[in-house]
Amino acid sequence: MAGHGRDGAKNGQSADAAKLSLLGHDLRAAVSDIIGGLRLIDHGQVDAATRLQLERVRASGEILARLLEQGLSMMLGEDDFAATHPANLQMARFLYDVEMRWSGRASEKGVAFKVTRDDAVPQVMTLDRIALERVLSNILSNAIKYTDGGTVSLEVSMAPSGALRLSVSDEGPGFSAEALSRLFDYNGRPDGTGKPGQGLGMHITKSMAGRLGATVSVANLPRRGARVVLDLPPEKWTIAAPDQVADLPDLSKTKVLIAEDNITNQTIIAHMLAKMSAQFEIAEDGVEALRWLERENFDLALIDIEMPRMTG
């Protein structure tokens, strides 16, 4: 009977993993739709304020996609790809996305948000992007939440030690002595702060700083406000070669079959192929793809793995 119990538990876990895998597929598709749709919007047709909000949603959506991918990998027992395979970080683009995401929230409170980068900071770096994004998200969220007027600033520079330094300063009330003593504890925020939240932000910041191999320090400023500094030692990141921008290939003599059930992905791929002058046809599942192949010859097929009726 005990053996049957173990087999039942194992089968139950396998069934749960299968359900989660299927749910993960649909979650990924939904997030892909959101990001793809935002990228297809013609910003020349909207006013500046709307454009800012669209960029804010896009930047947040892309972070959501990376967090979702990591969360699903953890729940499904897969390798943590982000932690074991550091990504190339285009610093100018990264800071642009940070500014787009957080300037909107700051402006809603009547707070200015400023981002500066020293010329000595490398243009392209290789590091754990998700961990860095989570550190900045929590630091900036706290800084804006506790600042009711003035400016929140993010300064990116190189420390004298050679570390990459990200410094967030605000003009809020600063940290009380009790808050500083419990700053990195789980649920460590003291009572009576008058702001919503559970005190998890700095705990997550400390955890992600450890994953980066970085140090995080906090101090109140002389007059008003606080500063949080993240130092990432040079041995924890490398300078990557900037991506070379190549001319788009000429596919005017190429016929492509797109087998993809997601309408947004169909639109994006078709748009990309049209830019390269390719001729293409779209099939919404594997059955339709086979019918196209029976009727016509194609030079290239782009095939989705998960589709209705017949998969890739």
Side-chain angles (χ1 to χ4, degrees):
M1 294 294 292
H4 289 298
R6 286 195 296 270
D7 291 342
K10 186 180 295 184
N11 290 336
Q13 290 171 354
S14 298
D16 288 343
K19 290 178 183 178
L20 184 57
S21 179
L22 294 174
L23 177 61
H25 172 266
D26 291 347
L27 286 170
R28 290 179 173 112
V31 173
S32 176
D33 277 348
I34 293 168
I35 296 171
L38 288 167
R39 288 175 175 170
L40 289 171
I41 293 173
D42 182 0
H43 283 196
Q45 302 300 313
V46 297
D47 58 74
T50 303
R51 187 161 54 247
L52 174 63
Q53 292 303 325
L54 288 171
E55 282 292 86
R56 175 187 179 186
V57 175
R58 178 200 56 76
S60 298
E62 291 179 357
I63 292 176
L64 173 62
R66 288 188 285 272
L67 290 171
L68 175 64
E69 197 64 40
Q70 186 173 63
L72 288 171
S73 296
M74 291 168 61
M75 287 186 285
L76 291 169
E78 300 169 352
D79 290 338
D80 189 345
F81 188 86
T84 56
H85 297 75
N88 282 354
L89 188 77
Q90 301 274 356
M91 187 56 72
R93 179 67 187 186
F94 174 73
L95 293 179
Y96 170 80
D97 283 350
V98 169
E99 187 170 10
M100 289 301 99
R101 182 183 182 191
W102 294 102
S103 59
R105 183 180 298 190
S107 65
E108 289 168 358
K109 288 195 64 182
V111 174
F113 180 58
K114 182 173 66 174
V115 179
T116 59
R117 186 188 79 176
D118 191 90
D119 292 338
V121 175
Q123 293 184 13
V124 186
M125 309 175 73
T126 302
L127 45 74
D128 184 342
R129 175 174 183 151
I130 290 181
L132 182 60
E133 285 176 337
R134 292 184 68 183
V135 167
L136 280 179
S137 291
N138 283 285
I139 295 174
L140 289 171
S141 176
N142 279 345
I144 293 171
K145 177 165 63 177
Y146 285 98
T147 302
D148 294 324
T151 301
V152 172
S153 61
L154 167 63
E155 300 174 13
V156 184
S157 61
M158 303 305 298
S161 63
L164 174 67
R165 173 168 289 176
L166 295 97
S167 177
V168 175
S169 303
D170 65 60
E171 296 183 22
F175 294 97
S176 67
E178 184 182 4
L180 284 172
S181 69
R182 302 165 51 184
L183 195 60
F184 298 117
D185 294 347
Y186 181 79
N187 280 343
R189 193 179 69 166
D191 295 331
T193 61
K195 299 288 184 180
Q198 297 176 309
L200 299 177
M202 294 309 295
H203 176 75
I204 295 171
T205 295
K206 184 71 171 180
S207 174
M208 290 298 105
R211 178 167 137 177
L212 282 163
T215 60
V216 59
S217 58
V218 180
N220 287 326
L221 298 174
R223 294 184 179 179
R224 182 174 175 81
R227 178 176 291 130
V228 182
V229 177
L230 180 82
D231 278 345
L232 187 56
E235 64 270 17
K236 299 300 181 181
W237 51 268
T238 56
I239 298 177
D243 292 341
Q244 298 298 316
V245 179
D247 293 333
L248 291 175
D250 178 10
L251 299 183
S252 57
K253 298 180 180 179
T254 304
K255 189 171 182 178
V256 182
L257 174 63
I258 305 169
E260 168 64 67
D261 62 304
N262 184 288
I263 295 175
T264 303
N265 289 346
Q266 290 176 6
T267 305
I268 293 172
I269 296 170
H271 182 70
M272 294 168 66
L273 290 173
K275 277 193 170 184
M276 294 179 276
S277 304
Q279 181 183 350
F280 57 87
E281 301 291 349
I282 297 175
E284 294 190 352
D285 56 46
V287 173
E288 189 177 348
L290 288 177
R291 289 172 181 166
W292 271 112
L293 291 170
E294 289 171 356
R295 294 193 300 266
E296 299 186 25
N297 293 324
F298 292 87
D299 302 295
L300 178 67
L302 303 176
I303 304 173
D304 184 17
I305 296 297
E306 297 288 343
M307 293 184 292
R309 294 205 296 174
M310 181 181 289
T311 71

